[in-house]
């Protein structure tokens, strides 16, 4: 039996490299997925065409409080989620002493404020059901930091603190809240980093390679599986041995 058979997953931030890998894995494991994207929702449409009705798509801007407050209306009629995955994220790298305030605010607003808004909007659906999973995509940068990534690292560290607090609040209703912290993965987001510091970065990874989005998606599917029942408030690193 597929790992996520009959599960219904809301995936926020689904059109990037990792988002698409998450959609594919969840569908392969038998789940139905409602995927949201702000930019490039068209990337999801080929997957929807072959998903036998198990993938629906909506456009959602996580930086808009108004849009997020009404986001539950985007779900298919009668569709009750069993899990919520927050994967929306952006970068705007720059040394902190020269970082523009707009770059700081943009990254914090998407990555951290967006996670808060998603929890506030969709969390009550699971709270009322007295069961479910919430999974937030963090990053090794949330613990390690990184040159030129103060905004990104701060946003991911904030997500991890949010997860711990939210897990404590949701535990009485049997809703498990965790984060997954990928190491550097091969994606559009890492192209600039690899161009500037590829060799140095690879030396910090015990496996001496970048991860694949599909590897992160596989770990996420395990964390959402119905028999994963005694882990909450945790951050699971999937990083190839980054900084061992």
């Amino acid at each position: 039996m597929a790992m996520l058979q009959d599960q219904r997953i809301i995936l926020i931030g689904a059109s990037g490299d990792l988002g698409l890998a998450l959609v594919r894995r969840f569908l392969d494991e038998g789940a139905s997925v409602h995927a949201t994207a702000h930019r490039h929702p068209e990337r999801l449409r080929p997957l929807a065409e072959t998903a036998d009705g198990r993938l629906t798509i909506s456009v959602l801007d996580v930086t808009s409080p108004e849009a997020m407050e009404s986001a539950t209306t985007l779900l298919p009629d009668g569709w009750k989620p069993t899990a919520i995955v927050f994967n929306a994220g952006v970068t705007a790298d720059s040394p902190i002493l020269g970082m523009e305030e707009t770059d700081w605010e943009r990254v914090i607003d998407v990555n951290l404020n967006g996670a808060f808004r998603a929890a506030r909007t969709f969390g009550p659906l699971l709270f009322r059901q007295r069961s479910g999973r919430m999974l937030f995509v963090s990053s090794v940068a949330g613990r390690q930091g990184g040159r030129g990534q103060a905004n990104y690292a701060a946003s991911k560290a904030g997500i991890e603190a949010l997860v711990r607090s939210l897990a404590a609040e949701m535990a009485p209703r049997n809703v498990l809240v965790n984060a997954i912290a990928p190491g550097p993965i091969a994606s559009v987001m890492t192209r600039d980093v690899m161009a500037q510091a590829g060799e140095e970065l690879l030396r910090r990874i015990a496996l001496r390679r970048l991860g694949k989005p599909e590897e992160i998606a596989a770990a996420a599917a395990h964390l959402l599986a119905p028999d994963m029942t005694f882990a909450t408030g945790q951050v699971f690193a999937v990083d190839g041995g980054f900084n061992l």
Side-chain angles (χ1 to χ4, degrees), residues 68-136:
M68 290 301 293
E69 285 174 6
S70 61
T72 57
T73 64
L74 301 173
L75 300 175
D77 290 342
W79 203 85
K80 295 182 179 180
T82 59
I84 299 155
V85 179
F86 184 82
N87 179 56
V90 297
T91 60
D93 293 354
S94 173
I96 192 168
L97 298 184
M99 184 177 289
E100 296 290 339
E101 191 149 338
T102 52
D103 287 339
W104 173 272
E105 292 174 349
R106 169 67 175 164
V107 171
I108 295 296
D109 201 23
V110 174
N111 299 6
L112 181 54
N113 295 345
F116 158 71
R117 294 178 185 122
R120 186 176 60 178
T121 296
F122 295 112
L125 301 179
L126 303 182
F127 194 81
R128 289 194 292 268
Q129 292 168 190
R130 294 180 176 268
S131 67
R133 306 282 191 278
M134 300 181 75
L135 182 65
F136 294 79

Side-chain angles (χ1 to χ4, degrees), residues 140-141 144 181-185 200-212 215-216 236-244:
V140 292
Q144 303 289 345
I185 62 173
E200 178 185 352
L201 183 63
L202 291 177
R203 281 196 296 270
R204 296 176 64 182
I205 303 172
L207 294 181
R208 295 295 189 271
R209 67 174 177 84
L210 297 180
K212 301 173 184 177
E215 292 172 309
I216 310 305
F236 294 88
V238 185
D239 61 7
F242 189 76
N243 269 349
L244 281 180

Side-chain angles (χ1 to χ4, degrees), residues 146-209:
R147 290 196 301 271
Q149 289 195 310
N151 48 5
Y152 184 74
S155 72
K156 295 302 187 178
I159 280 180
E160 295 183 9
L162 171 66
V163 161
R164 289 188 287 272
S165 297
L166 189 57
E169 294 180 10
M170 300 291 272
R173 292 298 182 107
N174 197 36
V175 177
L176 309 183
V177 186
N178 292 295
I180 189 168
I185 62 173
S187 69
V188 172
M189 259 191 184
T190 59
R191 285 178 186 171
D192 290 343
V193 175
M194 289 302 295
Q196 296 175 20
E199 290 300 322
E200 178 185 352
L201 183 63
L202 291 177
R203 281 196 296 270
R204 296 176 64 182
I205 303 172
L207 294 181
R208 295 295 189 271
R209 67 174 177 84

